Amino acid sequence: MDENKEFLTPENESESTNTDTTSETTENTEEFAAFAENNEDTLQNIDGMSEEAVVTETTPAPKKKKLLQLPIIISVVIVAAVALTLFVTKAFFDTSIVGTWIQSVPMSSDTSSSDEAANFDIYYTFYNDGTLDFTVGTMTWNGTYTVSTDKSGNQTLERVLNGSQMSCNYAVSGNMFTGRTLELYTSTSDEKAELKSGNVVKPELKVDKDFKADDKVTGTWTYDNGYTKMTYKFNDDGTVEINQSDSVKAEGTYLIKNKTIIIKYYYTDEVEMDVAYSVEKDGLKLNDILYTKDDGSAKATTAAATEAATTSAK
């Protein structure tokens, strides 16, 4: 081994390394200072660009509002125009007979001495499906109707009510703001019936203060011989509904007294009807006609019998 060769200790290596690093650092600092001095303007430009970049990133540009597409705007305008047209047509140019019309009729046939207090109202209600209600007091007749227009523009109304057919000409005038008018007339008469548009108003039904419900009477009772069907519905609040073959209906009140059911309803005035009744094993007898109760018990019995038969078969 070479005796003249020196071995460096870790301390000597560190000192040597630090000396070299310090020398390199000093040289680099002097070079950077010279570079900075020669490129001062460039560095300022870079700093300015950096600040602008920061502002741009931290302050987002405002979002542009999305405008409605042209087809959508056109569709909205068309829908609004159609709706407005329909409203104007319905409000000012509606000549349809559909709706409820009120005819004020004198109580007496002597119209010369009649006054407003002696009149009663008749209601005609025409539905879109061609059916008709004719209402007086709390009674309503159901019928049908058809309308047609001839080449001259004359409008004809044909009614079938309570088995009778009637035909006449008609004309509708006015609007929904000032009121509409329906005129009924015939070519053979100069008289015209004038009806005003409105709503059905029925007389108030007042239950007798002495009314007491009877469970043996309360319910729906029906008589059906194949030709005529009559139904009485006695409610536990003292009101009654009468239906004859779905062609005539009446609403009223009732009171049970001395084996009699006293029924009150309105036509042109209050009408009272006494119905003798008796509770039978098979139903309720009204004026010697037996009515059976329609409370779903027959359906329940049939279902029970079917289930029993099924069970026995298994």
Side-chain angles (χ1 to χ4, degrees):
M1 185 172 66
D2 190 355
E3 295 177 358
N4 295 324
K5 188 176 180 180
E6 294 182 359
F7 288 91
L8 295 177
T9 63
E11 290 81 0
N12 293 333
E13 288 181 356
S14 176
E15 290 176 2
S16 174
T17 303
N18 290 339
T19 302
D20 294 340
T21 303
T22 302
S23 175
E24 291 176 2
T25 303
T26 303
E27 291 175 1
N28 291 337
T29 302
E30 291 175 354
E31 290 177 2
F32 182 78
F35 175 82
E37 184 178 355
N38 294 330
N39 298 278
E40 184 177 357
D41 294 337
T42 303
L43 291 173
Q44 289 177 353
N45 291 335
I46 292 174
D47 290 340
M49 292 174 61
S50 177
E51 291 176 358
E52 291 179 358
V54 171
V55 172
T56 302
E57 291 178 358
T58 57
T59 308
K63 295 182 179 179
K64 294 182 179 180
K65 294 182 178 179
K66 294 182 179 179
L67 298 177
L68 289 175
Q69 296 181 1
L70 184 59
I72 297 177
I73 296 175
I74 294 175
S75 300
V76 172
V77 171
I78 292 174
V79 171
V82 171
L84 180 60
T85 302
L86 292 175
F87 173 77
V88 171
T89 302
K90 184 69 176 178
F92 296 99
F93 305 102
D94 185 12
T95 58
S96 171
I97 199 173
V98 174
T100 298
W101 305 90
I102 308 170
Q103 181 181 12
S104 186
V105 180
M107 284 283 193
S108 171
S109 58
D110 183 9
T111 58
S112 60
S113 59
S114 64
D115 55 20
E116 195 70 23
N119 293 349
F120 67 94
D121 291 332
I122 296 175
Y123 300 90
Y124 294 86
T125 302
F126 299 93
Y127 299 98
N128 281 313
D129 61 357
T131 58
L132 162 68
D133 283 350
F134 175 80
T135 303
V136 182
T138 60
M139 297 188 66
T140 299
W141 288 259
N142 305 114
T144 60
Y145 76 97
T146 56
V147 294
S148 59
T149 305
D150 61 21
K151 296 181 179 179
S152 301
N154 295 319
Q155 296 174 304
T156 302
L157 167 66
E158 292 187 1
R159 297 170 290 169
V160 178
L161 193 63
N162 201 27
S164 300
Q165 184 172 352
M166 297 164 281
S167 178
C168 63
N169 297 111
Y170 77 94
V172 178
S173 59
N175 57 70
M176 65 181 297
F177 299 105
T178 60
R180 300 170 66 217
T181 300
L182 171 64
E183 289 184 338
L184 302 179
Y185 59 95
T186 61
S187 57
T188 58
S189 175
D190 295 333
E191 295 184 2
K192 293 183 177 182
E194 190 174 276
L195 291 74
K196 297 294 183 181
S197 60
N199 299 305
V200 176
V201 179
K202 296 181 179 181
E204 182 182 359
L205 298 172
K206 295 182 179 181
V207 178
D208 195 286
K209 63 180 181 179
D210 295 327
F211 169 78
K212 290 182 180 180
D214 186 343
D215 293 341
K216 296 179 180 179
V217 174
T218 301
T220 301
W221 304 88
T222 301
Y223 167 77
D224 188 353
N225 62 3
Y227 299 97
T228 301
K229 183 179 179 180
M230 282 289 299
T231 300
Y232 286 85
K233 183 181 179 183
F234 297 103
N235 300 311
D236 56 10
D237 62 354
T239 61
V240 60
E241 302 167 41
I242 306 171
N243 186 329
Q244 180 179 337
S245 302
D246 290 330
S247 60
V248 184
K249 300 176 183 178
E251 299 174 3
T253 62
Y254 72 99
L255 176 67
I256 302 173
K257 188 176 181 180
N258 298 328
K259 298 295 182 180
T260 301
I261 301 176
I262 304 172
I263 298 176
K264 293 182 180 180
Y265 62 94
Y266 286 88
Y267 183 56
T268 58
D269 201 353
E270 185 177 271
V271 179
E272 184 176 302
M273 177 176 65
D274 293 344
V275 179
Y277 85 98
S278 62
V279 178
E280 305 293 334
K281 180 180 179 181
D282 298 331
L284 182 67
K285 186 173 287 188
L286 302 175
N287 285 340
D288 293 329
I289 298 176
L290 184 64
Y291 287 73
T292 57
K293 194 168 189 178
D294 182 12
D295 58 356
S297 58
K299 295 180 181 180
T301 302
T302 302
T306 303
E307 185 178 356
T310 304
T311 303
S312 61
K314 290 180 180 180

